[in-house]
């Protein structure tokens, strides 16, 4: 399993306004930024393919870890959510794959340009994003293939976080 620090880094991508909590608006805004950056029109099949898993992510977060019932997920609740039975398999991994698929071409690959565009829209530093892409682009062809990316996501969630 990934470390608490890695889950917290993911948390920062969702906490758009930096107020220390994630609300549904934060999740929606992140998806909207990706859609705008990739020119994905609302209501299109590509839009639905990312919106539905994002809504599922929020519903599971809100329903299972929002201890205060205030429709806000704290950093601790976010980390705890990933330890709940079924969350990783049913929500986290499918969501990560849906994010990949959103930018994939007809050959189920994501280009460096798309990778950098979505990471920029997320707010990740360019050098870290480029380094991540280069780590995952095993054959150095400038594309990430879907199957190795899915394996990376699965390994991220299932590896020993120690």
């Amino acid at each position: 399993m990934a470390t608490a620090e890695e889950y917290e880094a993911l948390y920062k991508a969702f906490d758009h306004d930096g107020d220390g909590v994630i609300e549904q608006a934060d999740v929606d805004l992140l998806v909207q930024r990706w859609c705008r950056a990739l020119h994905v029109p609302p209501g299109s099949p590509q839009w639905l393919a990312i919106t539905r898993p994002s809504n599922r992510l929020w519903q599971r977060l809100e329903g299972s870890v929002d201890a205060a019932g205030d429709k806000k997920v704290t950093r601790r609740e976010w980390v705890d959510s990933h330890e709940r039975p079924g969350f990783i398999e049913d929500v986290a991994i499918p969501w990560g794959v849906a994010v990949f698929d959103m930018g994939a071409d007809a050959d189920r690959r994501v280009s460096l340009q798309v990778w950098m565009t979505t990471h920029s829209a997320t707010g990740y530093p360019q050098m870290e994003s480029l380094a991540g892409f280069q780590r995952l682009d095993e054959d150095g062809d400038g594309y990430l293939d879907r199957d190795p990316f899915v394996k990376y996501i699965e390994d991220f969630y299932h590896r020993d976080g120690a």
Side-chain angles (χ1 to χ4, degrees):
M1 182 177 278
T3 65
E5 291 81 21
E6 289 169 318
Y7 288 138
E8 288 180 17
L10 287 173
Y11 184 88
K12 288 180 184 178
F14 282 94
D15 184 14
H16 173 71
D17 56 10
D19 66 353
V21 295
I22 296 174
E23 299 175 69
Q24 184 170 7
D26 290 311
V27 176
D28 293 346
L29 182 59
L30 181 59
V31 170
Q32 289 171 15
R33 285 190 281 167
W34 291 334
C35 287
R36 274 194 308 272
L38 296 176
H39 309 288
V40 174
S44 69
Q46 197 177 10
W47 181 86
L48 291 171
I50 190 59
T51 302
R52 287 179 178 147
S54 296
N55 288 339
R56 189 173 317 116
L57 171 75
W58 174 252
Q59 290 164 356
R60 285 288 296 272
L61 284 171
E62 180 188 27
S64 66
V65 298
D66 180 17
D70 57 2
K71 299 189 181 294
K72 297 177 181 182
V73 175
T74 66
R75 184 170 279 129
R76 180 78 251 151
E77 289 169 336
W78 170 265
V79 172
D80 290 348
S81 71
H82 290 77
E83 296 173 4
R84 302 237 182 214
F87 186 83
I88 288 174
E89 294 300 323
D90 299 338
V91 180
I93 291 172
W95 186 82
V97 173
V99 172
F100 179 89
D101 288 346
M102 179 182 184
D105 62 18
D107 294 325
R108 297 173 57 158
R109 305 176 311 164
V110 168
S111 69
L112 173 60
Q113 179 182 356
V114 167
W115 178 271
M116 295 302 289
T117 298
T118 56
H119 277 75
S120 177
T122 304
Y124 289 131
Q126 281 191 339
M127 294 309 292
E128 286 180 31
S129 298
L130 178 59
F133 184 91
Q134 290 170 333
R135 253 189 328 275
L136 293 171
D137 182 15
E138 295 172 347
D139 60 7
D141 69 351
Y143 290 91
L144 301 182
D145 296 313
R146 187 180 194 272
D147 291 341
F149 183 81
V150 170
K151 182 176 179 352
Y152 163 77
I153 291 291
E154 290 170 345
D155 289 349
F156 174 81
Y157 285 112
H158 292 297
R159 71 179 161 74
D160 182 9

